[in-house]
């Protein structure tokens, strides 16, 4: 069984409140001076800056009033000590600074940094400054801000984004909710975010996945404090490198019966492609057998596209039980519609009590029923479908994706896979996982059908572990899309490109002994 704890400290994702409590624990209980910790953060972020952008100057450092601003002042001091040209703007008046942030400002001034108050810079000069610098450091708003940024911060965030300059965000892009990944107003679009002490969940899902750029984690030697503080992560980040060993082994004497039989129930008239995509994705994801129950008019196309799929024309729900009996796992929903045929298909699937993956119109139909927790199912809604299941708005789902997935899991049981950038997976074990990465090329019809087939195949191969199967499905899906994008780009990416890339991705998870069997 895969481990459900973070593989490293950087993969344990905390809320903003938890990270602040960890920070205070390190300072008060472990005797680490707060200003020393701030200096460590600034040095770590500055190192990341010079490695990523060597020789790119002048720097423009934008500082707020809290500890995030203090990090910025000390980064400006680091730049000055290393001979880099640096401009520093106090977006929040320096007279409001206190504690370690004030010490940081004083340290920057002592190191020769000219700190200018935003209120004292004429608009033409501010415009000229943004035209002359090479890089912006965003140290305006930290994890303590969760609402929409107010002026003058909103205006400076907008100016940063309009400039199209590369931005390094200190700890978190200004305007982003560190816990939820939501942005209620203007938010900095960073090329890199350097985050400290504990990774924040909001950096990896929702708007966070779009605005953080490359996220770099710096523990600042606080690993022991994280463990001793008693704070629990709200989620675990799952990368392909950390889950690839979850796939079940295939001994030399393996046979198709060992890896499950996936039945895909999909494809009302006019939507036959959805079933074909799901079924072919299942075959490419290691399922021993794959069957497709679809409208009869789609059978010929299915056999031509993927002859290894056992395609059955089904016109009425009464024809489905015999196919269900032979299946290990059922994938139901892609393109079934919400009329009589789709309703009959879903009803038979639900009554069979077979392990199942429900997607698309199966979820839309399910939303009109009273929620019933079921342990052996994976639901894969996108935010619109999740909103229908929760009887709320899409905006409410996106405002806190982890909370939405967790609530769905409490209502429907099993495993919830909430699609979108930074896919959230909530399971009955009380564990929430976030699949690392996002890909704009996946914003096209049929990608969800591919995911349902991949997830169904993994579920069939590890039928006692729906949670890990769903995590694998989400991570492999994004990895195959990412690798396909290298060759195809984003705008031209289509679902079959992802399917075609699955064998190469899964081959990377195979032990060398597997590959050597066919190379002698």
């Amino acid at each position: 069984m895969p481990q459900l704890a973070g593989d490293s400290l950087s993969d344990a994702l905390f809320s903003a409140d938890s990270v602040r409590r960890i920070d205070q624990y390190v300072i008060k209980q472990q005797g680490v001076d707060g200003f020393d910790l701030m200096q460590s953060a600034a040095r770590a972020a500055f190192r990341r800056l010079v490695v990523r952008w060597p020789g790119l100057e002048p720097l423009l450092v934008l500082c707020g009033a809290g500890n995030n601003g203090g990090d910025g002042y000390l980064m400006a001091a680091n730049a000055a000590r290393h001979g880099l040209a640096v401009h520093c703007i106090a977006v929040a008046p320096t007279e409001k600074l206190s504690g370690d942030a004030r010490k940081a400002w004083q340290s920057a001034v002592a190191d020769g940094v000219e700190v200018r108050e935003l209120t004292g810079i004429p608009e033409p000069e501010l415009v000229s400054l943004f035209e002359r610098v090479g890089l912006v450091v965003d140290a305006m708003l930290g994890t303590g801000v969760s609402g929409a940024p107010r002026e003058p911060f909103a205006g400076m965030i907008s100016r940063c984004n309009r400039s199209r300059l590369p931005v390094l965000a200190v700890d978190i892009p200004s305007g982003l909710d560190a816990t939820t990944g939501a942005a209620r107003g203007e938010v900095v679009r960073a090329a890199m975010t350097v985050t400290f002490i504990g990774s924040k969940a909001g950096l990896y899902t929702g708007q966070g996945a779009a605005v953080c750029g490359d996220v770099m984690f710096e523990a600042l030697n606080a690993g022991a404090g994280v463990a001793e503080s008693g704070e629990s992560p709200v989620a675990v980040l799952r990368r392909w490198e950390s889950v690839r060993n979850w796939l079940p082994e295939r001994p030399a004497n393996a046979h198709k019966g060992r890896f499950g039989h996936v039945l895909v129930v999909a494809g009302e008239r006019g939507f036959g492609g959805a079933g074909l995509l799901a079924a072919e994705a299942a075959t490419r994801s290691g399922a021993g057998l794959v069957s497709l129950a679809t409208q009869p008019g789609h059978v010929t196309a299915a056999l031509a596209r993927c002859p290894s799929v056992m395609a059955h024309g089904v016109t009425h729900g009464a024809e489905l039980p015999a196919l269900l009996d032979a299946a290990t796992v059922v994938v139901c929903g892609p393109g079934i519609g919400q009329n009589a045929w789709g309703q009959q298909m879903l009803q038979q699937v639900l009554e069979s009590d077979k392990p199942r993956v429900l997607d698309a119109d199966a979820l839309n139909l399910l939303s009109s029923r009273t929620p019933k927790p079921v342990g052996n199912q994976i639901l894969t809604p996108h935010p619109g479908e999740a909103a229908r299941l929760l009887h709320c708005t899409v905006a409410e789902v996106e405002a806190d994706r982890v909370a939405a997935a967790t609530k769905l899991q409490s209502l429907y049981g099993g495993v919830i896979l909430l699609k979108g950038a930074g896919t959230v997976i909530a399971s009955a074990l009380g564990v929430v996982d976030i699949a690392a990465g996002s890909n704009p090329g996946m914003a096209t019809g049929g990608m969800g059908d591919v995911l349902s087939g991949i997830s169904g195949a993994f579920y069939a191969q590890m039928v006692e572990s729906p949670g890990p199967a769903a995590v694998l499905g989400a991570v492999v899906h994004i990895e195959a899309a990412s690798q396909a994008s290298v060759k195809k780009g984003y705008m031209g990416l289509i679902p079959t490109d992802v399917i075609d890339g699955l064998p190469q991705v899964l081959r990377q998870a195979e032990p060398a002994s597997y590959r050597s069997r066919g190379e002698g």
Side-chain angles (χ1 to χ4, degrees), residues 425-492:
I425 305 100
S427 76
L429 298 176
V431 173
V432 175
D433 297 286
I434 295 178
S438 60
N439 187 315
M442 300 174 78
T444 189
M447 289 293 182
D449 305 322
V450 173
L451 174 60
S452 66
I454 297 171
S455 300
F458 291 149
Y459 194 7
Q461 294 170 72
M462 43 200 309
V463 73
E464 300 300 322
S465 304
V471 171
L472 269 173
V475 174
V476 168
H477 189 228
I478 183 68
E479 182 65 21
S482 296
Q483 293 191 23
S485 296
V486 174
K487 296 180 179 179
K488 304 282 187 176
Y490 294 132
M491 293 184 67

Side-chain angles (χ1 to χ4, degrees), residues 258-262 287-289 328-329 455-463 469:
R258 183 167 181 160
F259 303 110
H261 183 170
V262 177
L289 295 166
T328 309
V329 167
S455 300
F458 291 149
Y459 194 7
Q461 294 170 72
M462 43 200 309
V463 73

Side-chain angles (χ1 to χ4, degrees), residues 189-384:
R189 294 193 292 270
M192 176 188 288
T193 300
V194 184
T195 196
F196 313 115
I197 305 293
S199 291
K200 291 83 179 169
L203 301 179
Y204 297 95
T205 192
Q207 286 292 313
V211 303
C212 289
D214 297 326
V215 179
M216 302 297 176
F217 174 70
E218 295 285 351
L220 307 183
N221 296 318
V226 173
E228 296 170 8
S229 69
E231 296 295 324
S232 298
V234 297
V236 177
L237 187 67
R238 297 301 188 185
R239 314 171 195 268
W240 173 229
E241 294 78 11
S242 65
V243 303
R244 60 203 300 173
N245 63 341
W246 292 8
L247 290 166
E249 293 185 8
R250 293 186 170 239
N253 64 343
H255 55 85
K256 61 189 176 184
R258 183 167 181 160
F259 303 110
H261 183 170
V262 177
L263 170 63
V264 178
V265 181
E268 172 63 293
R269 294 182 185 90
F271 299 96
L276 303 188
L277 290 170
E280 187 173 2
T283 66
R284 288 294 193 183
S285 301
L289 295 166
V290 178
S291 294
L292 172 63
T294 187
Q295 283 282 3
H298 303 144
V299 170
T300 300
L303 294 174
R305 171 71 193 181
C306 192
S308 61
V309 172
M310 296 173 284
H312 304 267
V314 175
T315 58
H316 192 277
E319 303 169 57
L320 203 56
L323 299 175
L324 289 166
D325 287 343
T328 309
V329 167
V330 184
V331 175
C332 179
I336 64 171
Q338 299 183 52
N339 295 321
W341 189 81
Q343 293 175 20
Q344 291 178 32
M345 296 301 108
L346 177 61
Q347 185 61 34
Q348 292 294 332
V349 170
L350 297 180
E351 290 180 358
S352 75
D353 202 32
K354 284 278 184 174
R356 61 208 185 209
V357 177
L358 301 183
D359 184 36
D361 279 325
L363 300 176
N364 292 326
L365 290 169
L366 201 64
S367 68
S368 65
R369 300 176 178 223
T370 301
K372 177 184 176 183
V374 177
N376 62 343
Q377 67 181 6
I378 299 172
L379 307 187
T380 62
H382 58 54

Side-chain angles (χ1 to χ4, degrees), residues 129-154:
L129 184 58
F130 269 87
E131 291 174 347
R132 289 184 285 115
V133 300
L135 174 70
V136 176
V137 174
D138 165 30
M140 291 184 284
L141 300 174
T143 60
V145 178
S146 58
R150 301 175 181 176
E151 295 297 346
F153 296 100

Side-chain angles (χ1 to χ4, degrees), residues 41-59 74-86 135-137 167-168 192 194 216 218:
R43 284 193 296 268
F46 182 72
R47 284 195 299 268
R48 294 285 188 177
L49 185 152
V50 295
V51 169
R52 173 69 176 270
W53 295 285
L56 185 58
E57 54 178 314
L59 309 182
L74 291 176
M75 283 191 69
N78 272 276
R81 286 197 298 271
H82 283 79
L84 299 182
V86 57
L135 174 70
V136 176
V137 174
V167 178
L168 182 147
M192 176 188 288
V194 184
M216 302 297 176
E218 295 285 351

